[in-house]
């Protein structure tokens, strides 16, 4: 209860670091240090730039945007884009972004999508389509979001990404994926020091071939796979492209 009240109060507060407004309560594990917080985002943006996945004409969807870590990183790295849309099921995070990050420009929008998630939004009702037009985005970015979802949700959102991605667009996502493990496991004990005390959907791990199968079934194909590429979280990185329209 106290944590809930604190979180609500913290939607009205921010902390300044190097001129950037950062959240006080963070949904990212292990990113409490302000410098690490900004650098974690800059590192991913540098990666996106090196892969030619963003430039000044990009229209980006940040799915499970949390408290706009990517937005602060774009400003910190001084990378210009055309339009940014952040979508999250956590209302407090979206309120925080609207309050503290809207001043970054009219091309930065934040949408609350009340979708059920046993960790982040238990009061919502099931899966929700992303409220945006078809073929709209050059990049769908999601960091540490599929790490908190079971297969049903992942399969649903992969199809949604295919629907909203432009013809030459790409998905850049992170997930826990390993070989020779059960297809899907919630909070696997002893995996990356997991205990059984971290709550629902703390760490969802997928078997690589099983995950690839979900990608294919959504009409997407893997262009790049980097196992445990994110050093701090040990999540793998995938870059996906459209292969065929999603199967109905
Ligand atoms: C670990 S946080 C990562 C936040 C952000 N991507 C980052 O890297 O800072 C996971 C985020 O995914 C969001 N999320 C989980 N399920 C979702 C869903 N079905 N739709 C939208 N957002 C979701 C959570 O509310 C949370 O903000």
């Amino acid at each position: 209860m106290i944590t809930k009240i604190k979180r609500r109060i913290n939607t009205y507060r921010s902390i300044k670091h190097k001129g950037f407004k950062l959240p006080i309560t963070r949904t990212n594990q292990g990113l409490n240090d302000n410098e690490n917080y900004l650098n974690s985002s800059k590192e991913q943006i540098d990666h996106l730039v090196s892969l030619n996945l963003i430039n000044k004409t990009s229209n980006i969807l940040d799915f499970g945007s949390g408290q706009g870590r990517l937005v602060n990183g774009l400003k910190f790295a001084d990378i210009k884009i055309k339009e940014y849309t952040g979508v999250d099921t956590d209302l407090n995070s979206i309120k925080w972004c609207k309050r503290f990050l809207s001043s970054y420009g009219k091309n930065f929008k934040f949408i609350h999508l009340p979708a059920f998630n046993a960790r982040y939004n238990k009061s919502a009702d099931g899966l929700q389509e992303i409220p945006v037009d078809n073929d709209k985005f050059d990049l769908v970015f999601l960091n540490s979001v599929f790490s908190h979802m079971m297969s049903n949700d992942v399969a649903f959102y992969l199809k949604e990404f295919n629907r909203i991605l432009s013809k030459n667009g790409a998905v850049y996502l992170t997930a826990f994926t390993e070989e020779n493990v059960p297809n899907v496991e919630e909070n696997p004990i002893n995996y990356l020091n997991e205990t059984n005390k971290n709550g629902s959907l703390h760490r969802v791990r997928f078997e690589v071939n099983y995950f690839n199968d979900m990608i294919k079934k959504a009409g997407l194909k893997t262009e790049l796979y980097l196992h445990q590429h994110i050093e701090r979280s040990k999540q793998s990185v995938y870059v996906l492209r459209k292969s065929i329209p999603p199967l109905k």
Side-chain angles (χ1 to χ4, degrees):
M1 187 64 181
I2 291 173
T3 324
K4 256 191 176 173
I5 295 168
K6 248 190 186 169
R7 280 206 68 207
R8 207 163 297 151
I9 293 170
N10 283 344
T11 61
Y12 295 94
R13 300 162 67 207
S14 70
I15 194 162
K16 267 213 167 158
H17 181 72
K18 291 186 166 167
F20 296 93
K21 292 172 207 158
L22 308 186
I24 294 171
T25 309
R26 298 176 188 173
T27 48
N28 332 70
Q29 197 196 17
L31 283 179
N32 289 328
D33 178 85
N34 296 329
E35 196 64 17
N36 285 348
Y37 185 85
L38 279 179
N39 280 330
S40 70
S41 184
K42 186 175 178 304
E43 275 163 26
Q44 279 188 308
I45 287 158
D46 289 346
H47 197 204
L48 293 172
V49 171
S50 74
L51 296 170
N52 284 324
L53 293 178
I54 47 171
N55 60 46
K56 60 180 189 309
T57 65
S58 300
N59 196 354
I60 300 177
L61 180 89
D62 186 5
F63 183 72
S65 49
Q67 293 122 338
R69 193 180 59 93
L70 188 72
V71 176
N72 267 313
L74 286 167
K75 293 290 168 184
F76 184 48
D78 195 22
I79 296 295
K80 307 268 182 294
I81 54 152
K82 186 174 165 215
E83 212 173 297
Y84 167 96
T85 307
V87 170
D88 204 289
T89 188
D90 179 44
L91 185 58
N92 285 328
S93 292
I94 290 295
K95 280 186 178 167
W96 189 91
C97 289
K98 284 187 175 171
R99 190 162 286 126
F100 293 107
L101 303 182
S102 290
S103 60
Y104 285 170
K106 280 202 176 100
N107 51 342
F108 288 87
K109 286 185 226 147
F110 303 94
I111 302 175
H112 179 229
L113 175 69
F116 178 81
N117 182 293
R119 187 174 186 82
Y120 293 101
N121 191 348
K122 281 190 196 163
S123 61
D125 204 13
L127 300 164
Q128 296 284 335
E129 282 182 12
I130 304 170
V132 296
D133 294 340
N134 296 355
D135 310 318
K136 186 176 158 75
F137 292 96
D138 305 303
L139 176 68
V140 173
F141 173 90
L142 53 157
N143 177 71
S144 229
V145 181
F146 281 177
S147 43
H148 308 288
M149 275 186 194
M150 300 301 277
S151 319
N152 227 14
D153 299 41
V154 169
F156 176 85
Y157 288 111
L158 283 171
K159 282 187 189 160
E160 275 291 274
F161 300 159
N162 189 347
R163 175 182 71 76
I164 66 177
L165 213 53
S166 66
K167 192 167 158 248
N168 297 314
V171 177
Y172 176 107
L173 69 85
T174 71
F176 292 109
T177 54
E178 303 294 342
E179 287 178 0
N180 302 318
V181 294
N183 285 347
V184 55
E185 238 183 315
E186 180 182 2
N187 303 344
I189 299 290
N190 294 333
Y191 176 58
L192 307 173
N193 301 325
E194 180 78 55
T195 65
N196 55 7
K197 295 190 183 123
N198 292 314
S200 304
L201 302 179
H202 172 246
R203 200 174 264 147
V204 179
R205 181 185 66 192
F206 297 94
E207 199 278 326
V208 178
N209 295 314
Y210 178 79
F211 196 76
N212 287 341
D213 217 44
M214 283 196 285
I215 291 170
K216 274 192 207 139
K217 281 186 179 147
L220 296 165
K221 60 182 174 200
T222 304
E223 184 175 86
L224 180 71
Y225 172 59
L226 300 169
H227 179 244
Q228 292 197 1
H229 179 78
I230 308 290
E231 220 175 290
R232 71 196 147 75
S233 69
K234 302 283 180 260
Q235 290 190 48
S236 304
V237 165
Y238 282 82
V239 175
L240 312 177
R241 301 271 179 186
K242 271 183 190 241
S243 59
I244 47 165
L247 306 170
K248 296 285 174 209

